[in-house]
């Protein structure tokens, strides 16, 4: 089955700096890659997603890049703000199957 | 629009007891998922429904876990009997159809003592 590796497990950055979280996947048939943000005790919320026919997608301060050949995708957050502090999960969905396989999460800490 | 509703929010039981969780998906969503999230890990899919039929239950421990979505709307997930390792947050998610964005509920936090 699919396996998703996520790094780093914890990331601390200064407010205003950029943050990058990286994920790799194992199943070349995976074609949908969402990113979820989860604040303590709250539900995971989709922040951005990308499908395999696109290499990059941007939404204001958040961007995701996908390298299908290398089977990795990354989340980029620019101009980080205190409200960006949370756990971020990457996930992959295999074509023809709909359940998401998640990474273990990255705890992003924004230092004031 | 209203989000995915789950109840209860918290549940504490002793091992070998039974427990049930309830999920009401977003109105009109045909696909419903149950995930298990153990502390410090990402969610893991347990079962997926399309309307009232099971699409994927390959990771559901069927000796103790069961789930149903009889009328194709609400769903219940049951554990009987519970084990210590079942302590986790049980998340329900729904999507308009297969392959669409999944929206999560707030989850039920289960503690098995």
């Amino acid at each position: 089955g699919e396996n998703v590796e996520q790094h780093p497990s914890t990331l601390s950055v200064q407010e205003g700096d950029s943050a990058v979280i990286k994920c790799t996947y194992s199943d070349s048939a995976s074609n949908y890659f969402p990113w979820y943000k989860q604040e303590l005790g709250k539900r995971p919320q989709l922040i951005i997603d990308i499908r395999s026919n696109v290499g990059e997608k941007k939404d204001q301060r958040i961007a995701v890049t996908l390298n299908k050949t290398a089977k990795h995708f990354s989340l980029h957050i620019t101009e980080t703000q205190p409200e960006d502090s949370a756990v971020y999960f990457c996930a992959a969905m295999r074509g023809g199957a709909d359940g998401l396989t998640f990474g273990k999460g990255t705890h992003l800490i924004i230092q004031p | 629009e209203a989000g995915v509703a789950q109840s209860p929010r918290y549940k504490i039981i002793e091992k070998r007891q039974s427990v049930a969780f309830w999920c009401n998906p977003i109105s009109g969503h045909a696909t419903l998922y149950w995930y298990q999230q153990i502390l410090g890990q990402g969610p893991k899919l347990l079962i997926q429904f399309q309307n009232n039929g099971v699409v994927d239950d390959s990771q559901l421990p069927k000796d103790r876990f069961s789930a149903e979505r009889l009328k194709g709307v609400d769903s219940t997930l049951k554990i009987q009997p519970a084990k210590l390792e079942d302590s986790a947050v049980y998340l329900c998610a729904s999507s308009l159809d297969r392959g669409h964005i999944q929206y999560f509920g707030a989850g039920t936090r289960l503690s098995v003592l």
Side-chain angles (χ1 to χ4, degrees), chain A residues 36 38 43 51 98 100 102, chain B residues 35 37 48 98-99 102 105:
Chain A
Y36 285 85
Q38 188 173 31
R43 70 189 70 199
R51 296 195 183 266
D98 309 321
L100 293 170
F102 284 84
Chain B
Y35 289 86
Q37 186 175 24
Q48 176 190 345
R98 297 180 67 172
Q102 295 182 27

Side-chain angles (χ1 to χ4, degrees), chain B residues 46-67:
Chain B
L46 292 176
I47 190 167
Q48 176 190 345
F49 292 94
Q50 180 69 9
N51 296 309
N52 61 352
V54 175
V55 174
D56 181 5
D57 63 357
S58 58
Q59 299 189 90
L60 187 73
K62 298 180 188 64
D63 58 333
R64 298 183 301 106
F65 286 64
S66 64

Side-chain angles (χ1 to χ4, degrees), chain A residues 32 36 38 40-46 49 51 87 89 93-94 96-105, chain B residues 3-4 9 31 33 35 37 40-45 48 55 91 98-106 109:
Chain A
Y32 174 62
Y36 285 85
Q38 188 173 31
L40 189 63
K42 296 191 176 180
R43 70 189 70 199
Q45 291 195 301
L46 181 75
D49 58 3
R51 296 195 183 266
V87 178
F89 291 97
M93 178 190 292
R94 185 170 57 86
D98 309 321
L100 293 170
T101 300
F102 284 84
K104 290 190 174 183
Chain B
V4 177
R9 286 299 314 277
T31 316
Y33 312 79
Y35 289 86
Q37 186 175 24
Q41 298 183 19
K44 172 189 165 187
L45 179 70
Q48 176 190 345
V55 174
L91 293 163
R98 297 180 67 172
H100 287 238
I101 293 172
Q102 295 182 27
Y103 297 91
F104 283 82
R109 182 177 296 277

Side-chain angles (χ1 to χ4, degrees), chain B residues 10-57:
Chain B
Y10 306 93
K11 190 73 178 179
I12 301 173
I13 62 172
E14 295 187 350
K15 60 183 179 182
R16 291 188 290 273
Q17 286 187 325
S18 302
V19 65
F21 314 126
W22 174 82
C23 173
N24 178 239
I26 293 172
S27 178
H29 279 198
T31 316
L32 184 147
Y33 312 79
W34 284 100
Y35 289 86
Q36 178 193 58
Q37 186 175 24
I38 293 173
L39 187 64
Q41 298 183 19
K44 172 189 165 187
L45 179 70
L46 292 176
I47 190 167
Q48 176 190 345
F49 292 94
Q50 180 69 9
N51 296 309
N52 61 352
V54 175
V55 174
D56 181 5
D57 63 357

